[in-house]
Amino acid sequence: MRKVYIIGIGMTPFGEIFDKDVDNLVSEAFFKALDDANLEQKDIEAVWAGTMLFHKSVPGPLVARATGLVGKPVSRMENACAAGTDIVRNAFFAVGGGYYDIVAVVGFEKMRDVTTTEMGFKMAIRSPLYEQHLGMTGPGNFAMFATRHMHEYGTTSEQLAMVAVKNHKNGAKNPNAQFRREITIEQVLNGPIISWPLHLLDCCAITDGAVSLVLASEDVARKYTDTLIEIAGVGLGTDYSLHAEKKTLTEFAAVKYAANQAYRMAKVEPKDIDVAETHDCFTISEIIEIEDLGFTEKGNGGKFTEEGETEIGGKIPVNTSGGLKACGHPIGATGTRQIHDMTEQLRGEAGERQVDGAEIALTQTLGAQVNISGVCILKRA
Amino acid sequence: MRKVYIIGIGMTPFGEIFDKDVDNLVSEAFFKALDDANLEQKDIEAVWAGTMLFHKSVPGPLVARATGLVGKPVSRMENACAAGTDIVRNAFFAVGGGYYDIVAVVGFEKMRDVTTTEMGFKMAIRSPLYEQHLGMTGPGNFAMFATRHMHEYGTTSEQLAMVAVKNHKNGAKNPNAQFRREITIEQVLNGPIISWPLHLLDCCAITDGAVSLVLASEDVARKYTDTLIEIAGVGLGTDYSLHAEKKTLTEFAAVKYAANQAYRMAKVEPKDIDVAETHDCFTISEIIEIEDLGFTEKGNGGKFTEEGETEIGGKIPVNTSGGLKACGHPIGATGTRQIHDMTEQLRGEAGERQVDGAEIALTQTLGAQVNISGVCILKRA
């Protein structure tokens, strides 16, 4: 097993992108990453592409053409919202294992091209036979987790809103974010209810975008850059799809499985993490995730947030990019975007959002019926 | 890089399976493979799942539950008809790289559960803006390749029919095949035209089925079995999606890219291959593929077939299982099924279809607008 480094990063701004097709988004992100790594197309030996919803042609060959790499291998992975993490995990295995020296990953989604019917058809946040008819849409699922967390631990609507306020504050400083404006607790609480207790501003948006990374083995990485960011650990966890089969509604078991694998591989503990991106598809998600990742004890996520510990300057800054909440959430791109943003932090290139002295970062995605999760741990080398 | 061996294989019979759901098919194939390897569920560290069409829930977690491995990593890959090869390629990287000792792959598809509209929507054998309206359905594509091959090389309808006759002859002896009956050249040529010159019996069918393999590193494989089948080389190739962009219509460039990678990794040449499974979705496919894989020169595929060189007992027996033609073609399962069947050949367990003394085998898939292909080379250790 060789060490694997991120030597190039690139992304499109996230948002509603009506004037570009998927091909354009993939190209833009890929060539930015290639430029960032000072490489040429011919140097890339293989690609892993992540997308959930794209269906207008077969994604692998589309990415081959959009990157100018026709002929070379392009694997397409889909693992709901964890796809963008799992492509990095698989590319990491191939480079770390010695099969390739330099590869690229690209996560992308153009959700604005997908009709609501198609999205419902493919997003499958549902178990048709048993739970779908009970209202188990995306917001429905997370509203249930929120009410149970409130019931068991006294978490409040204000604490949920504080997650949104923090992430919008960070996102306002991120040139790639979909929503670059600050919001207040009152704006969240006075907004329309989507699924009680989740208000409009407790929910992330529908987004277009693409993100690309270049990974290289320790054998060649130093030829291209001195700022090496190591992929120190990866993990992928699963859980039961039906909520009725889950052990609890206040814990994401898939996240714990994924995090344990990544912590073990990276030989670090939660207390070692300096900065993290978690999957705040809804505000309650971040509160449960910072507990499951071990940043605070179970049940304390709301209080921990209220105390400012997840803000920049706090004990463990979370979603310094703005998170899914402010960056937006192009499904297959999100996991890759988190790693892009944590690479910026570890390089010291996060500008106004920089966490001083960040050396170890963690990223985490959560998909579908909270039954799939990817975790990645990065270290400044 | 460690050697990687196949130590367990299992599959459901292929066919129209109305009385089992996807979960049942995945379970059946997985537990057969586990039994074959003398392992228990707890021994499996990670899974790679391949499916193109399944959309009733997110496939990764579904496979986790159907295999009883909830919590553990399940990656879902989709690469059109090459998915079943690409899951083996990625699992191979992870085991060969030292990240896991024992993993499973499972390829599956339940095409009979998918409506024609959904299948058209997802199969995407099309380029909507430019070529779809010209009749570029699956059969339309391959009919064009066939007429061009006939024009350039004098390939005949009789030679195409001989591929179907041979593969049905082999499939008749395969208990897992969808069609277990022999056919004649006259039956092919007198059958209804689907897209000239392709008759009904020149085309493969719509099929349900699942196939699973257990892969292990050289460090542990000998603990479980003495009959080791090594994964000696893997490759994945891409091509342009639009036929207008392809260099020729009588060659599958993606197959050549994939095969070159696999030959190089396995350190073998086409002449070293003792038996092969190729992607005979249409009879013309097998003729072009045996040329592109280097079993005979370009243009000679029809004549090579007519001379019986691809029959059992010929120079290079091709599709001894019956191929997609007789086994059926559950999209995400096919690549894995080919490796299952070649493992049987190399173990000497292929019964009436056994190729005497087979030591090196090759499998090859071809997907979508012939713009993606996976190749795997196996060796008896």
Side-chain angles (χ1 to χ4, degrees):
Chain A
M1 284 182 260
R2 306 185 295 182
K3 290 194 175 182
V4 180
Y5 298 104
I6 296 169
I7 64 165
I9 62 173
M11 70 180 283
T12 68
F14 279 7
E16 295 183 323
I17 308 176
F18 293 107
D19 60 340
K20 291 177 184 171
D21 209 342
V22 165
D23 314 55
N24 309 122
L25 297 180
V26 168
S27 287
E28 182 179 330
F30 172 73
F31 286 104
K32 280 181 179 172
L34 211 56
D35 283 348
D36 184 55
N38 294 312
L39 290 172
E40 295 175 39
Q41 282 158 288
K42 67 173 174 49
D43 300 316
I44 303 295
E45 298 169 274
V47 179
W48 279 256
T51 178
M52 182 179 185
L53 298 171
F54 183 74
H55 63 269
K56 293 196 177 165
S57 65
V58 175
L62 174 134
V63 169
R65 189 178 187 283
T67 54
L69 297 176
V70 170
K72 293 185 178 175
V74 182
S75 290
R76 183 265 174 117
M77 312 201 64
E78 182 282 319
N79 234 334
C81 307
T85 318
D86 207 15
I87 52 175
V88 175
R89 175 173 166 266
N90 277 272
F92 166 83
F93 291 151
V95 173
Y99 299 98
Y100 302 109
D101 281 326
I102 306 179
V103 305
V105 302
V106 56
F108 62 93
E109 215 77 68
K110 196 154 187 312
M111 298 177 75
R112 286 290 171 192
D113 277 2
V114 181
T115 66
T116 308
T117 310
E118 288 170 349
M119 208 177 299
F121 173 70
K122 297 196 87 181
M123 284 188 70
I125 308 294
R126 54 180 183 173
S127 302
L129 283 179
Y130 301 104
E131 293 182 346
Q132 189 180 10
H133 62 287
L134 302 174
M136 289 297 103
T137 60
N141 282 322
F142 286 89
M144 186 171 67
F145 303 141
T147 51
R148 190 70 201 171
H149 205 274
M150 288 170 154
H151 174 74
E152 287 190 30
Y153 303 114
T155 303
T156 64
S157 286
E158 286 72 17
Q159 289 170 341
L160 296 181
M162 287 168 193
V163 172
V165 170
K166 166 180 69 71
N167 292 353
H168 272 264
K169 186 176 164 192
N170 294 338
K173 299 171 188 151
N174 182 352
N176 291 317
Q178 181 169 13
F179 302 109
R180 299 186 59 194
R181 61 184 173 88
E182 298 203 25
I183 57 172
T184 64
I185 291 179
E186 293 66 36
Q187 283 175 308
V188 180
L189 298 180
N190 293 330
I193 294 285
I194 300 298
S195 181
W196 192 86
L198 303 177
H199 305 78
L200 180 66
L201 290 171
D202 284 296
C203 310
C204 74
I206 303 290
T207 313
D208 305 326
V211 189
S212 183
L213 308 172
V214 176
L215 276 52
S217 68
E218 57 185 328
D219 302 343
V220 305
R222 278 176 214 285
K223 277 195 239 174
Y224 300 99
T225 175
D226 293 326
T227 320
L228 296 176
I229 305 304
E230 184 192 350
I231 299 177
V234 293
L236 183 72
T238 50
D239 196 5
Y240 291 97
S241 298
L242 289 179
H243 298 316
E245 291 185 296
K246 295 189 170 88
K247 285 185 196 154
T248 157
L249 296 176
T250 55
E251 185 179 302
F252 300 145
V255 172
K256 299 184 85 161
Y257 285 118
N260 286 340
Q261 295 163 31
Y263 282 136
R264 202 165 49 237
M265 191 185 290
K267 298 188 179 67
V268 300
E269 296 176 30
K271 68 173 173 48
D272 300 319
I273 305 297
D274 297 314
V275 55
E277 290 282 309
T278 79
H279 199 87
D280 58 326
C281 48
F282 299 92
T283 49
I284 183 64
S285 321
E286 181 175 312
I287 286 179
I288 296 179
E289 287 157 354
I290 59 177
E291 298 168 357
D292 292 337
L293 292 167
F295 299 154
T296 185
E297 56 268 36
K298 179 51 65 188
N300 198 53
K303 188 153 167 285
F304 197 70
T305 302
E306 187 170 356
E307 288 166 351
E309 299 293 17
T310 54
E311 292 195 48
I312 295 170
K315 200 176 280 182
I316 165 83
V318 172
N319 288 319
T320 55
S321 68
L324 283 65
K325 199 52 214 74
C327 286
H329 178 31
I331 300 180
T334 285
T336 320
R337 195 272 306 154
Q338 293 177 332
I339 296 170
H340 171 286
D341 289 334
M342 289 298 92
T343 300
E344 281 189 332
Q345 282 285 359
L346 298 182
R347 284 178 175 180
E349 296 173 356
E352 290 181 86
R353 294 165 289 121
Q354 184 64 46
V355 173
D356 288 340
E359 302 226 337
I360 303 180
L362 177 147
T363 72
Q364 171 261 322
T365 43
L366 176 71
Q369 296 106 324
V370 302
N371 51 9
I372 186 87
S373 174
V375 169
C376 182
I377 294 174
L378 306 174
K379 282 185 188 173
R380 196 164 67 191
Chain B
M1 285 181 260
R2 307 184 294 181
K3 289 193 175 183
V4 180
Y5 298 104
I6 296 169
I7 64 165
I9 62 173
M11 71 180 282
T12 69
F14 279 7
E16 294 181 326
I17 308 176
F18 293 108
D19 60 340
K20 291 176 184 171
D21 209 342
V22 165
D23 313 56
N24 308 122
L25 298 179
V26 168
S27 286
E28 182 179 330
F30 173 72
F31 285 103
K32 280 182 179 172
L34 211 55
D35 283 349
D36 185 55
N38 294 312
L39 291 173
E40 295 174 39
Q41 281 158 290
K42 66 173 174 50
D43 300 317
I44 304 295
E45 297 169 273
V47 179
W48 278 256
T51 179
M52 182 179 185
L53 298 172
F54 183 73
H55 63 270
K56 292 195 178 166
S57 65
V58 175
L62 174 136
V63 169
R65 190 179 187 282
T67 54
L69 297 176
V70 170
K72 293 185 179 177
V74 182
S75 290
R76 182 265 175 116
M77 311 201 64
E78 182 282 320
N79 233 334
C81 307
T85 319
D86 207 15
I87 53 176
V88 175
R89 175 173 166 268
N90 278 272
F92 165 83
F93 290 150
V95 174
Y99 298 98
Y100 302 109
D101 281 327
I102 307 179
V103 305
V105 302
V106 56
F108 62 93
E109 215 76 69
K110 196 153 189 308
M111 298 177 74
R112 286 289 171 194
D113 277 2
V114 182
T115 66
T116 307
T117 310
E118 288 169 348
M119 207 176 301
F121 173 71
K122 296 196 86 181
M123 284 187 68
I125 309 294
R126 55 180 183 172
S127 301
L129 284 179
Y130 301 106
E131 293 182 344
Q132 189 180 12
H133 63 286
L134 301 173
M136 289 297 103
T137 60
N141 282 322
F142 286 89
M144 187 170 67
F145 303 141
T147 50
R148 190 69 202 174
H149 205 274
M150 289 169 152
H151 174 75
E152 286 191 29
Y153 303 113
T155 303
T156 65
S157 286
E158 287 73 17
Q159 289 169 342
L160 296 182
M162 286 169 192
V163 172
V165 169
K166 166 182 69 71
N167 292 353
H168 271 265
K169 185 175 165 192
N170 294 339
K173 299 172 187 152
N174 181 352
N176 291 317
Q178 181 170 12
F179 302 108
R180 299 185 58 194
R181 61 187 173 85
E182 299 202 23
I183 58 173
T184 64
I185 291 179
E186 293 66 36
Q187 282 175 309
V188 180
L189 298 181
N190 294 330
I193 294 285
I194 300 299
S195 181
W196 193 85
L198 302 177
H199 305 78
L200 179 66
L201 290 171
D202 283 296
C203 310
C204 73
I206 302 291
T207 314
D208 304 326
V211 188
S212 183
L213 309 172
V214 176
L215 275 52
S217 68
E218 57 185 329
D219 302 342
V220 306
R222 279 177 212 285
K223 279 194 236 173
Y224 300 99
T225 176
D226 294 327
T227 321
L228 296 176
I229 305 304
E230 184 191 350
I231 300 177
V234 293
L236 183 72
T238 50
D239 195 6
Y240 291 97
S241 299
L242 290 179
H243 299 316
E245 290 185 297
K246 295 187 170 89
K247 285 187 195 150
T248 157
L249 296 175
T250 54
E251 185 178 302
F252 300 145
V255 172
K256 299 185 86 163
Y257 285 118
N260 285 342
Q261 294 163 30
Y263 282 136
R264 201 164 51 236
M265 191 185 291
K267 298 187 179 66
V268 300
E269 296 177 30
K271 68 173 174 47
D272 300 318
I273 305 297
D274 297 315
V275 55
E277 291 281 308
T278 78
H279 199 87
D280 58 325
C281 48
F282 299 92
T283 49
I284 183 63
S285 321
E286 181 176 311
I287 286 178
I288 295 178
E289 287 158 355
I290 58 177
E291 298 167 358
D292 291 337
L293 292 166
F295 300 154
T296 185
E297 55 269 35
K298 179 50 65 186
N300 198 52
K303 188 153 169 284
F304 197 70
T305 301
E306 186 170 356
E307 288 166 350
E309 298 293 18
T310 55
E311 293 195 48
I312 294 170
K315 199 176 281 183
I316 166 82
V318 173
N319 288 318
T320 56
S321 67
L324 283 64
K325 200 50 214 75
C327 285
H329 178 30
I331 299 179
T334 285
T336 320
R337 195 272 306 154
Q338 294 177 330
I339 296 171
H340 172 286
D341 289 334
M342 289 298 92
T343 300
E344 282 189 333
Q345 282 285 359
L346 298 182
R347 283 179 175 180
E349 295 173 355
E352 291 180 85
R353 294 165 289 120
Q354 184 63 46
V355 172
D356 288 341
E359 302 226 338
I360 303 179
L362 177 147
T363 73
Q364 171 261 319
T365 44
L366 176 70
Q369 297 106 322
V370 304
N371 52 10
I372 186 88
S373 173
V375 168
C376 182
I377 294 174
L378 306 175
K379 283 184 187 173
R380 195 164 67 193

